[in-house]
Amino acid sequence: MAKSSTVKVVEHSKVSPPPNSAPPTVLPLTFLDIPWLFFSPSQPLSFYEYPHSTSHFLSATLPNLKHSLSLALQHFFPFAGNLVLSPAGSKKPHIVYNEGDSVSLTVAESSGDFSYLTSNHARDVNGFYPLVPQLATASVAADTQVEVVPLLAVQVTVFADCGICIGLAYHHVVADGRTFNNFIKTWALLCAHGCSLPVDSFPSYHRSVIKDEHGLEEIFLKELWKRKSSRKMVLGPEAQVDLPGMVRATFVMSLVHMERIKNWIVVQCKTKNQPQPVHLSAYVLTCAFVWVCLVKAKMQRGGSENYCYSRGEDPIHFGFIAGGMTRFDFPVPATYFGNCVGFARSTATRNELTGEDGIIAAANVIGGTIRRLDKEMCGGAEKWVSEWEVMLGSAIHITVSGSPKLDLYETDFGWRRPKKIEDISIDKMRSISLVESREEKGGMEVGLALPAGQMDAFKNLFVQELKALQ
């Protein structure tokens, strides 16, 4: 267990694009943005080795970090803007940027153990919260009841002579992981090299490329107005978690592990004369294996959750976000700014997931969902919000945050690659985080936040189940 530590705020500031460098802009939300109004902010942390003092950081590094952030915001200016929400039933939501809008930047110093926080073993979740920036809440105009919601906050925390943590908090409604990753990598490139950006890398703000061919905007706006009227915006209750008893850990799924799982599935299906799952990608193999281990761990050490698993035919949901760049019927440029993703949900029963062929059952339903999305991304999209509300409101569900396709470990601010990446928002969402492996191309890092007893059970199952597949 790490010793108690303190985080001291050194500076608060606001960072804007350079004066008159970004045009005042109003971006209407598309049908792909609106569902993200029903989710809490994302909270990624990136840790970097930095063997210098706090005073050296403040004098030698911070000015360039601020300047490069300003230059990045010149091109990705909506992050400095605000979400504007009118009263229920009136104007469609917009993202608005005006001259002088800014991003909150906090600089802090931590006495914490950098090595402990950047390890893979189980660590107290509470040690990470002081590293997450406070994203300002909405302000409401008294006369019009219009809500103005800041979209991004940044915190840079220095661990003297050890490292730096860049903490971010942002509303997903402004951008999907691809867009946000493009922004952060642009900031990092400008910080490390100070070079100008090629024109073809500038974000595209043409919302007209997103074609609402199924009338989804109207459906999602009705859901928005209903939720605003009831003052219940976030989908499902955030998990009632006992933060003092929770730990977070990272499990590495190597290429050898994935191949072992795949070979076991193939052999089992041949032996039993069963068809193989339709989509045995690295993503499906990893998700299927982790899903099964998680369900078994919760059954073993679920505590008050055990009653949820008492009936073998009860559905257990697995939710994930599917990229739409190559799946939609309309072309979307790679530099499009906004959300271009859809919502997916797979379901299996407890008996299916905990049976002898649980991994196969999990791979079947996840792979089948992906195959359906490949054929018709918007098939059943009118139920995205309602299905996810049912899932997130259920006692038994798991969702995935992040994507191993984003190459987050290639984000270099001039201090080389990150030492560790964490997603703090999974703590209350019953989510797992997925990023690419830092050490092996093609591998994955799986992040979990669980009660300590469940984490012990999961760790044992992860090791034992992989060994049993040999």
Side-chain angles (χ1 to χ4, degrees):
M1 202 65 153
K3 295 183 294 185
S4 60
S5 61
T6 59
V7 174
K8 179 180 68 176
V9 173
V10 177
E11 173 186 309
H12 283 299
S13 60
K14 300 285 188 181
V15 179
S16 300
N20 301 310
S21 65
T25 301
V26 176
L27 291 175
L29 299 191
T30 74
F31 76 91
L32 296 173
D33 301 317
I34 295 169
W36 289 106
L37 292 168
F38 314 135
F39 290 82
S40 298
S42 297
Q43 299 171 320
L45 301 179
S46 297
F47 294 85
Y48 291 85
E49 292 178 326
Y50 185 85
H52 303 291
S53 67
T54 302
S55 60
H56 178 84
F57 170 81
L58 294 173
S59 62
T61 302
L62 181 58
N64 183 40
L65 200 59
K66 287 183 177 179
H67 179 62
S68 55
L69 175 56
S70 174
L71 294 178
L73 288 170
Q74 175 181 345
H75 303 290
F76 292 85
F77 49 85
F79 286 116
N82 296 279
L83 170 69
V84 177
L85 281 169
S86 299
S90 55
K91 293 182 180 178
K92 182 173 149 180
H94 291 76
I95 292 167
V96 178
Y97 170 77
N98 289 309
E99 178 70 19
D101 284 348
S102 61
V103 168
S104 169
L105 172 63
T106 300
V107 178
E109 182 180 30
S110 174
S111 65
D113 187 335
F114 186 79
S115 296
Y116 169 82
L117 291 170
T118 57
S119 61
N120 286 345
H121 63 74
R123 295 142 294 151
D124 184 353
V125 297
N126 295 282
F128 294 87
Y129 284 100
L131 309 177
V132 178
Q134 295 297 311
L135 186 55
T137 56
S139 60
V140 181
D143 53 345
T144 63
Q145 293 300 298
V146 171
E147 294 181 60
V148 178
V149 185
L151 295 168
L152 170 66
V154 180
Q155 178 173 320
V156 182
T157 305
V158 182
F159 296 77
D161 302 315
C162 294
I164 290 173
C165 175
I166 294 184
L168 304 160
Y170 73 98
H171 285 287
H172 209 308
V173 70
V174 68
D176 57 18
R178 169 194 53 82
T179 298
F180 192 71
N181 185 46
N182 289 343
F183 163 60
I184 297 300
K185 281 197 167 67
T186 298
W187 178 18
L189 178 68
L190 291 168
C191 184
H193 303 290
C195 55
S196 59
L197 301 177
V199 174
D200 60 3
S201 70
F202 290 178
S204 167
Y205 293 103
H206 297 296
R207 292 291 164 112
S208 59
V209 302
I210 303 298
K211 309 294 186 186
D212 183 13
E213 299 168 338
H214 302 276
L216 296 172
E217 179 181 296
E218 182 179 356
I219 294 171
F220 296 154
L221 282 175
K222 285 181 179 178
E223 183 70 27
L224 169 62
W225 304 139
K226 181 182 77 174
R227 291 184 168 278
K228 276 188 68 66
S229 297
S230 66
R231 300 185 181 277
K232 185 187 175 186
M233 284 289 287
V234 177
L235 281 180
E238 286 194 333
Q240 297 299 309
V241 295
D242 176 24
L243 287 178
M246 284 189 72
V247 294
R248 61 189 307 112
T250 302
F251 297 84
V252 179
M253 184 70 76
S254 69
L255 291 174
V256 171
H257 294 154
M258 295 176 194
E259 191 64 22
R260 187 182 302 172
I261 296 168
K262 183 176 181 178
N263 289 340
W264 180 84
I265 290 175
V266 170
V267 169
Q268 282 288 97
C269 290
K270 284 184 178 179
T271 301
K272 297 185 176 183
N273 198 28
Q274 297 175 353
Q276 290 181 28
V278 297
H279 197 84
L280 290 179
S281 65
Y283 183 89
V284 170
L285 292 168
T286 300
C287 288
F289 182 80
V290 170
W291 190 11
V292 167
C293 288
L294 262 173
V295 171
K296 290 181 177 180
K298 287 179 178 290
M299 288 179 63
Q300 288 181 14
R301 303 290 292 274
S304 61
E305 288 185 343
N306 272 338
Y307 75 93
C308 301
Y309 296 87
S310 60
R311 293 181 296 183
E313 295 308 312
D314 283 347
I316 301 178
H317 303 297
F318 187 92
F320 58 97
I321 303 303
M325 299 296 287
T326 60
R327 287 190 172 103
F328 286 116
D329 295 333
F330 44 84
V332 181
T335 56
Y336 172 74
F337 186 102
N339 284 285
C340 190
V341 293
F343 295 78
R345 187 185 75 169
S346 301
T347 303
T349 67
R350 189 201 74 176
N351 284 347
E352 289 171 333
L353 294 173
T354 59
E356 180 184 17
D357 295 334
I359 298 172
I360 298 175
N364 262 321
V365 295
I366 297 173
T369 301
I370 292 174
R371 181 62 61 90
R372 288 194 298 275
L373 291 167
D374 288 342
K375 291 180 179 178
E376 189 179 6
M377 182 67 174
C378 286
E382 70 280 359
K383 297 179 181 178
W384 280 351
V385 174
S386 59
E387 286 187 346
W388 269 59
E389 180 165 39
V390 169
M391 176 177 67
L392 296 176
S394 69
I396 314 170
H397 71 265
I398 298 161
T399 60
V400 178
S401 175
S403 168
K405 293 182 178 180
L406 295 178
D407 293 332
L408 298 182
Y409 277 108
E410 299 307 314
T411 309
D412 183 358
F413 283 84
W415 320 311
R416 298 191 294 183
R417 303 164 70 223
K419 172 78 172 174
K420 190 70 188 299
I421 292 171
E422 298 281 358
D423 183 348
I424 305 307
S425 53
I426 69 171
D427 292 7
K428 296 182 180 180
M429 291 297 294
R430 291 201 185 101
S431 296
I432 63 173
S433 64
L434 283 185
V435 298
E436 79 280 5
S437 170
R438 185 184 191 276
E439 307 300 336
E440 180 185 26
K441 187 174 179 61
M444 294 188 201
E445 293 181 6
V446 183
L448 289 88
L450 295 169
Q454 288 185 23
M455 188 67 81
D456 287 340
F458 180 88
K459 177 183 176 181
N460 291 333
L461 284 161
F462 188 88
V463 173
Q464 293 166 7
E465 296 283 340
L466 280 174
K467 191 174 182 179
L469 298 181
Q470 285 182 312

